[in-house]
Amino acid sequence: MNDRLTVLMYHAILDNHGQCAGADLRYAVTRKAFRQHLAETKLLGGKPRSVADILASPGSGSDSSCDVAFTFDDGHASNADAAADLAEAGGSGDFFINSSTVGQPNNLDWATLRDMAAAGASIQSHGHTHRYFDEINESEIRHELVTSKHEIEAHIGLPVTIFAPPGGRLQPAVARIAREVGYVAICSSSVGLWARNGATWNIPRFAVLRETDDAQFRQWVSKDRLALMHLSARQAALDAAKKILGNRGYEKLRARLLGGGKGGGGGHDESKKSTAP
C-alpha cells in the first residue's frame, strides 16, 4: 500500500473548556488531541500535507508514503488554531469553506482565511451554501461550484481547484460539472486510502470524531488492513441506510441513535440540514 495515502477529515477544535460554539461536539476534537495526531504522524515517519500540495507533485520520488493529508470541512472559527498547529509542525492542510457563511458567527472571516493561506493553508470549496448535492439539479450544482470558487479566489487570491461535498452527498453529474468549471479533484466522505496516482474525483477520507482514540488514529495512518476492512463494511451499511431512508430519514435515525451533540447550535456535514441560497 506504499502508493496509497491516508486523508483525514476534521471539522472543529474544542476550546479549553471542552466547548465549540456552533459546531457538533461529536465532530470536534480537543487541541491536545489534534497536536497528538500531528506528533503521531511524525513518529510514523510522515508529514502533514494538504491534498492540494500532494496533487501539485504527483509521483514525486521525494513524497513519503507515510505522509498524511489533513482536511477540515465547514470553515468553523476554530480551524485557525488547527492551521497554526499544522504550520508549526512544518506542514499544511486543506480547509473547505462555504463562501456564503464566511464571517458569520462562529465561522472564519476573510481576513483570517487570508492569514491562514499566507501561512501555507489551502483554502478550498465546500460549496457556496451547505446544500446537499444529491438534492439539487445540475444548474444549481454549477451555481454552487462556480460561485464558491469565484468568491474564494477573489478574497484569497489563490486558485480554488478542490471541492468537498456537504454531507459527502454526491451524484454522477458533480464530477463532470466540477471539471468543466475548473476543479481538479473532489474529497469525498468515502472511507479508504487514496491512491494518489489514480482518480481524483472521489478522494476518500477518514472522519476524525471526538471519540477517535490514539490507537484508532494509528491504525488509519499506518494503513492497518483489518481496521480498513471494518470501516469499509460500516461505510457500506451507512450508504445502504441513506439510500433506503433518504437524507432526512437517515439524519433522524442517526440523531436518535447518537443523541444530542451540538455545542451552541450549528452543525456539520452529517447532521446539518441543507440550506437554500
Side-chain angles (χ1 to χ4, degrees):
M1 287 193 263
N2 288 337
D3 63 334
R4 298 177 180 270
L5 296 180
T6 299
V7 183
L8 303 170
M9 174 176 60
Y10 295 84
H11 287 79
I13 303 293
L14 294 165
D15 63 22
N16 293 333
H17 303 289
Q19 299 298 312
C20 197
D24 189 317
L25 297 185
R26 292 182 297 256
Y27 278 68
V29 301
T30 66
R31 195 168 188 185
K32 179 180 179 182
F34 184 69
R35 287 172 170 171
Q36 181 62 28
H37 294 169
L38 294 173
E40 289 283 354
T41 299
K42 183 178 181 180
L43 284 173
L44 291 168
K47 176 182 178 181
R49 300 177 67 188
S50 65
V51 172
D53 176 43
I54 295 169
L55 287 172
S57 55
S60 171
S62 63
D63 287 346
S64 169
S65 62
C66 294
D67 285 350
V68 178
F70 283 70
T71 72
F72 276 78
D73 285 7
D74 289 354
H76 190 270
S78 64
N79 288 185
D81 291 334
D85 290 340
L86 284 163
E88 185 176 346
S92 184
D94 306 280
F95 295 83
F96 295 100
I97 66 169
N98 298 115
S99 50
S100 70
T101 62
V102 175
Q104 292 187 9
N106 304 315
N107 289 306
L108 295 163
D109 57 33
W110 289 117
T112 303
L113 286 164
R114 282 192 290 271
D115 289 342
M116 290 165 58
S122 163
I123 312 301
Q124 302 293 337
S125 171
H126 199 42
H128 180 54
T129 61
H130 202 277
R131 305 181 74 187
Y132 288 157
F133 275 49
D134 61 350
E135 296 181 340
I136 58 180
N137 61 40
E138 292 193 13
S139 176
E140 293 169 319
I141 290 171
R142 187 177 298 272
H143 172 78
E144 288 279 329
L145 292 172
V146 169
T147 302
S148 60
K149 178 177 172 64
H150 288 175
E151 285 284 318
I152 299 169
E153 289 179 343
H155 284 90
I156 305 300
L158 293 171
V160 172
T161 58
I162 311 173
F163 168 65
R169 272 58 163 193
L170 286 169
Q171 57 172 289
V174 177
R176 171 178 56 79
I177 297 171
R179 185 186 298 110
E180 290 173 356
V181 301
Y183 290 84
V184 300
I186 292 176
C187 286
S188 71
S189 295
S190 298
V191 175
L193 298 172
W194 173 31
R196 55 180 163 174
N197 291 324
T200 61
W201 297 107
N202 187 10
I203 296 174
R205 297 185 290 173
F206 295 90
V208 183
L209 311 178
R210 189 174 185 177
E211 65 191 38
T212 302
D213 58 31
D214 291 344
Q216 190 174 30
F217 182 86
R218 283 192 291 270
Q219 288 176 331
W220 296 348
V221 176
S222 63
K223 308 165 193 174
D224 182 271
R225 290 182 182 273
L226 288 178
L228 296 179
M229 289 173 62
H230 173 75
L231 282 173
S232 294
R234 180 178 181 274
Q235 182 67 43
L238 291 175
D239 289 344
K242 291 175 186 176
K243 183 176 293 186
I244 294 170
L245 299 173
N247 288 333
R248 301 288 86 76
Y250 170 78
E251 288 168 355
K252 289 178 181 178
L253 175 62
R254 182 180 180 278
R256 285 199 298 269
L257 293 174
L258 296 179
K262 292 183 181 179
H268 60 81
D269 287 331
E270 295 301 329
S271 66
K272 184 163 62 177
K273 293 182 179 180
S274 59
T275 305

